[in-house]
């Protein structure tokens, strides 16, 4: 049965903390604007401040819809639901605020040693309504692990910026923004939404330096269920070649010695 609250019930705090994924829904004010729903993950990216305030760390991606919509009108809904245990759907309705990388609000919540690789902003949500419902149609799903592909991509971008900024005095000039860097990516790929609304405004020009991130070496296992992947090394190839050579030599020898009429 659906229930509504004016704030997040305290018994849901630990449940929210255990969830591995949530969805963010926003929309522009125009009637024909594109409604956006974005899946969000990464353990430790969602934070409950109190019963009426939450925020999450927004990682760099190819789109900037949520930031643009929140910047324009503040409307935002966050959805959680259970994939294991008792069924549950949780919606957080609120007024959103964007704090970009390099701003005092961002720095207060995410100092360099705590931010995730590729983090570009904080989406703050002042919650004014909470809804819970059954979620009976949501299937059971088993959590397998985090994906590293986004982190690897953003790691390479950040390292390019770090290398370009290392020898510069940024107190006297603008950041270099190398072609393969993260700040240039923000400037050219995250500047406007699909409907032309302003996205990232400040972070690409920030003189804040990135902390050198730890290398990410673990590759994702992206095989689909039931997909067979055959990995053959140099040793196995030599054995196969030797076997085939033996078969060919044996066939030639038999052909040479067999009596006529066989």
């Amino acid at each position: 049965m659906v229930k509504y609250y004016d704030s997040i019930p305290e018994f849901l705090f630990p449940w929210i903390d255990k969830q591995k994924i949530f969805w963010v829904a926003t929309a522009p004010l125009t009637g024909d604007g594109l409604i956006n729903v974005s899946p969000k993950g990464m353990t430790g990216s969602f934070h409950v401040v109190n019963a009426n305030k939450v925020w999450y760390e927004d990682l760099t991606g190819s789109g900037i819809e949520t930031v643009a919509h929140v910047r324009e009108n503040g409307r935002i809904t966050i959805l959680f639901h259970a994939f294991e245990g008792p069924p549950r759907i949780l919606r957080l309705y609120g007024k959103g605020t964007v704090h970009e990388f390099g701003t005092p609000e961002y720095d207060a919540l995410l100092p360099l040693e705590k931010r995730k690789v590729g983090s570009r902003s904080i989406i703050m949500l002042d919650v004014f309504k909470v809804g819970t419902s059954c979620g009976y149609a949501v299937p059971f799903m088993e959590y397998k692990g985090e994906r590293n592909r986004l982190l690897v991509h953003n790691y390479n971008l950040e390292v390019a910026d770090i290398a370009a900024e290392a020898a510069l005095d940024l107190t006297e000039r603008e950041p270099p923004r190398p072609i393969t860097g993260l700040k240039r990516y923000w400037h050219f790929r995250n500047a406007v939404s699909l409907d032309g609304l302003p996205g990232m405004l400040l972070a690409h020009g920030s003189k804040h330096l990135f902390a050198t991130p730890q290398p990410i070496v673990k590759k994702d296992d992206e095989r689909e269920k039931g997909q067979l992947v055959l990995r053959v090394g140099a040793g196995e190839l030599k054995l196969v070649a030797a076997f085939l050579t033996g078969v060919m030599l044996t066939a030639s020898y038999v052909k040479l010695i067999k009596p006529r009429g066989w």
Side-chain angles (χ1 to χ4, degrees):
M1 179 183 294
V2 64
K3 294 182 180 180
Y4 292 105
Y5 308 87
D6 293 328
S7 58
I8 306 171
E10 190 171 342
F11 73 87
L12 287 175
F13 287 9
W15 181 83
I16 291 173
D17 189 55
K18 293 178 182 178
Q19 302 313 303
K20 303 299 184 183
I21 187 172
F22 57 96
W23 279 259
V24 179
T26 58
L29 291 177
T30 57
D32 59 350
L34 297 172
I35 298 171
N36 186 68
V37 180
S38 293
K40 303 293 181 180
M42 299 294 174
T43 299
S45 64
F46 191 89
H47 305 266
V48 177
V49 179
N50 56 48
N52 288 102
K53 187 181 288 291
V54 301
W55 63 275
Y56 71 88
E57 188 173 5
D58 177 44
L59 304 185
T60 299
S62 57
I64 198 67
E65 301 303 292
T66 301
V67 168
H69 296 162
V70 169
R71 196 183 294 283
E72 183 205 35
N73 58 67
R75 298 181 304 171
I76 184 170
T77 299
I78 292 179
L79 169 72
F80 290 91
H81 55 67
F83 287 111
E84 60 182 12
R88 173 180 286 146
I89 289 176
L90 170 66
R91 293 181 177 89
L92 307 179
Y93 305 92
K95 186 78 171 179
T97 307
V98 179
H99 301 304
E100 291 188 37
F101 172 87
T103 61
E105 296 84 357
Y106 180 99
D107 294 343
L109 292 170
L110 280 177
L112 288 179
E113 66 272 13
K114 290 186 178 181
R115 69 179 287 273
K116 295 183 182 298
V117 176
S119 175
R120 65 186 175 189
S121 71
I122 286 172
I123 306 297
M124 184 72 71
L125 183 66
D126 291 310
V127 179
F128 59 79
K129 192 179 189 66
V130 177
T132 60
S133 53
C134 64
Y136 291 170
V138 177
F140 287 106
M141 302 286 284
E142 182 179 356
Y143 175 71
K144 187 175 180 179
E146 303 275 352
R147 290 182 185 268
N148 280 328
R149 182 182 282 256
L150 179 62
L151 295 178
V152 171
H153 175 264
N154 289 336
Y155 169 85
N156 292 331
L157 295 177
E158 281 199 15
V159 167
D161 274 329
I162 292 170
E165 294 171 349
L168 298 178
D169 181 2
L170 295 183
T171 61
E172 300 179 356
R173 57 170 296 174
E174 294 298 312
R177 291 204 297 263
I179 293 176
T180 57
L182 184 61
K183 290 179 180 177
R184 186 179 179 90
Y185 189 95
W186 290 340
H187 184 58
F188 288 98
R189 298 292 297 275
N190 291 164
V192 294
S193 73
L194 293 172
D195 294 308
L197 296 174
M200 299 292 284
L201 300 177
L202 305 171
H204 64 274
S206 172
K207 294 182 180 180
H208 280 50
L209 304 182
F210 297 125
T212 303
Q214 292 294 323
I216 302 167
V217 296
K218 182 181 178 182
K219 293 185 178 180
D220 293 330
D221 181 357
E222 297 179 344
R223 291 173 294 175
E224 295 182 3
K225 188 175 181 180
Q227 180 181 357
L228 177 63
V229 177
L230 181 63
R231 293 184 173 88
V232 180
E236 289 82 358
L237 287 175
K238 290 180 180 179
L239 288 175
V240 171
F243 173 76
L244 293 176
T245 301
V247 171
M248 294 172 63
L249 290 174
T250 301
S252 299
Y253 179 73
V254 170
K255 184 178 180 181
L256 180 64
I257 67 172
K258 70 177 182 179
R260 292 182 179 180
W262 278 29

